[in-house]
Amino acid sequence: MKTEMLRLSPKSFTPGDLARPAEILRQGGIVAVPTDTVYGFMIAEKDPTSGERLNLLKGREKNQALITFLSNRESVFRYIHKLPLLAERLTKIYWPGPLTIIVRDSVGQKRSFRVPGFPMTRELIKQIEYPILSTSANRNKEPEAFTAEEVEKRFSGELEFILDGGDCPLKVPSTLIEIESDHYRILREGDVTLEMIEKQRQYKLVFVCTGNICRSPMAMAITQSLLSNHYHLASPTRLAQAGFQIESAGLEVSDELPINVKAKEALATLHYPIPENHSSKAVQWKQIKEAKQVFVMTQEHRQELLLRWPEFREKIQTLSPTDINDPYRTSQETYLQCALQIELCVKQIVEKLCA
């Protein structure tokens, strides 16, 4: 077998330049391609035995699992109805890039997915109407290949085509993480580290008002309920296991007080669970530092927080474009209107978090 080779510039290629490797993939051939991590083999999954050639080429068991390469993040939903929460967060940040996830597909089978961080390779995948299976372009237990020349030296005459896109920039295999429901394990750590994964697993939102007995606990309760419903959790108490921390605090808190009775009634009217064992707490520097986002009720609240901790300017914002005024010592109807205003804003936040 003669192995063809084509060198293209990663910065100046056109979709038409990939016509030949695309044709070979459609015919069932193997193409070696560059990625941001290492060179890899690709084959179109035209039938259940398509991947066997890759495994045989690598010198490993013919039924060993392979990675499904995707051209973009949205393509994963051809195979899976909904990603686990951590997978959803990680893929939003690290796809395209050096991250491979193992999750259960729509029929309950474990499957590996990756969107490689190399535009040329993604464009090639995009042009193929079949799923694309991939594995690193090296023999089993031998070093990875970081250049097309290395692939040619090892495999010339054993595959149909090598797409030369220059050196792989990262020169380390992708991070391989298996995610099941609320749990994960790293099978191979690459450029996406354990520390980076843990940082994304924990997403803290903090709502701040004046006394932490009306507005901020209502915002907290509504957010917890909406997120729980979105991720089909049995109760808001499961949010912590799923990586969410939703907290509330106050700028002027002297005593630990329960949530205001009228605030409870407003939540009940809107069919939101009432926070159990809530007691008002003063906002703390550490709490703001750990938060991804901090929402205050008024511009005055924001200015007060910025006076205390100006280093957190980017994450502190008002919940609503207009002030959400304090309903304390007003009518039950005012509390309900306040809760409705908070609910409208929180729904927009949750929609963005879950988009």
Side-chain angles (χ1 to χ4, degrees), residues 21-310:
E23 179 187 5
I24 288 172
L25 285 169
R26 292 191 193 99
Q27 292 172 351
I30 295 175
V31 176
V33 296
T35 75
D36 47 332
T37 55
V38 302
Y39 267 76
F41 292 133
M42 296 199 324
I43 193 168
E45 191 178 13
K46 299 179 70 173
D47 61 64
T49 64
S50 293
E52 292 182 9
R53 276 198 66 200
L54 294 189
N55 284 324
L56 291 172
L57 187 58
K58 282 181 70 77
R60 62 184 190 177
E61 295 294 326
K62 65 180 183 180
N63 60 348
Q64 196 156 337
L66 297 165
I67 298 170
T68 298
F69 262 7
L70 308 170
S71 62
N72 54 57
R73 181 179 181 272
E74 291 68 33
S75 298
V76 76
F77 297 108
R78 299 174 188 169
Y79 309 94
I80 184 169
H81 298 314
K82 188 170 181 60
L83 287 169
L85 179 57
L86 178 59
E88 189 170 298
R89 288 188 198 157
L90 291 176
T91 55
K92 283 180 180 178
I93 297 170
Y94 299 116
W95 276 5
L99 178 73
T100 301
I101 63 166
I102 303 174
V103 293
R104 293 194 181 274
D105 62 18
S106 55
V107 296
Q109 298 297 314
K110 287 184 180 180
R111 190 159 181 164
S112 305
F113 298 98
R114 183 182 170 205
V115 181
F118 213 86
M120 182 189 300
T121 299
R122 294 200 304 276
E123 174 58 35
L124 178 57
I125 297 166
K126 184 180 176 182
Q127 293 186 19
I128 310 304
E129 54 271 24
Y130 300 101
I132 296 293
L133 299 177
S134 179
T135 184
S136 57
N138 59 293
R139 299 198 194 278
N140 196 31
K141 299 182 180 179
E142 289 188 356
E144 292 81 11
F146 304 122
T147 67
E149 289 76 15
E150 291 177 80
V151 179
E152 183 181 33
K153 183 178 179 180
R154 299 178 192 179
F155 295 99
S156 182
E158 298 182 60
L159 74 160
E160 285 80 0
F161 200 94
I162 299 172
L163 180 61
D164 184 355
D167 291 6
C168 300
L170 296 179
K171 294 182 172 59
V172 62
S174 64
T175 295
L176 181 61
I177 179 172
E178 183 176 344
I179 303 172
E180 184 99 38
S181 186
D182 300 339
H183 309 286
Y184 76 91
R185 63 183 180 126
I186 297 175
L187 305 181
R188 180 181 66 211
E189 186 170 336
D191 208 55
V192 180
T193 64
L194 171 62
E195 182 181 3
M196 294 160 71
I197 290 168
E198 271 299 300
K199 187 175 180 182
Q200 295 307 319
R201 193 176 76 84
Q202 298 298 327
Y203 199 103
K204 179 185 280 192
L205 283 175
V206 178
F207 295 95
V208 179
C209 67
T210 305
N212 191 217
I213 60 172
C214 299
R215 290 167 291 178
S216 58
M218 285 197 293
M220 177 183 70
I222 293 170
T223 305
Q224 288 174 331
S225 181
L226 292 176
L227 283 171
S228 297
N229 291 338
H230 179 82
Y231 290 108
H232 307 290
L233 302 175
S235 73
T237 58
R238 291 290 305 279
L239 280 172
Q241 291 175 272
F244 275 111
Q245 291 177 267
I246 315 298
E247 298 179 0
S248 66
L251 287 162
E252 299 174 14
V253 177
S254 54
D255 299 315
E256 293 190 359
L257 299 173
I259 185 172
N260 184 281
V261 173
K262 291 181 179 179
K264 286 184 179 182
E265 291 182 14
L267 288 172
T269 300
L270 297 176
H271 307 291
Y272 288 110
I274 297 166
E276 296 180 7
N277 304 318
H278 173 80
S279 60
S280 56
K281 290 181 173 58
V283 64
Q284 301 291 324
W285 177 86
K286 184 174 184 291
Q287 185 180 38
I288 303 302
K289 179 179 182 296
E290 293 174 348
K292 296 282 192 205
Q293 293 178 288
V294 179
F295 292 100
V296 296
M297 303 297 143
T298 68
Q299 284 291 343
E300 187 177 343
H301 290 156
R302 185 170 187 272
Q303 292 306 315
E304 175 61 31
L305 275 184
L306 291 178
L307 281 173
R308 296 186 192 184
W309 304 305

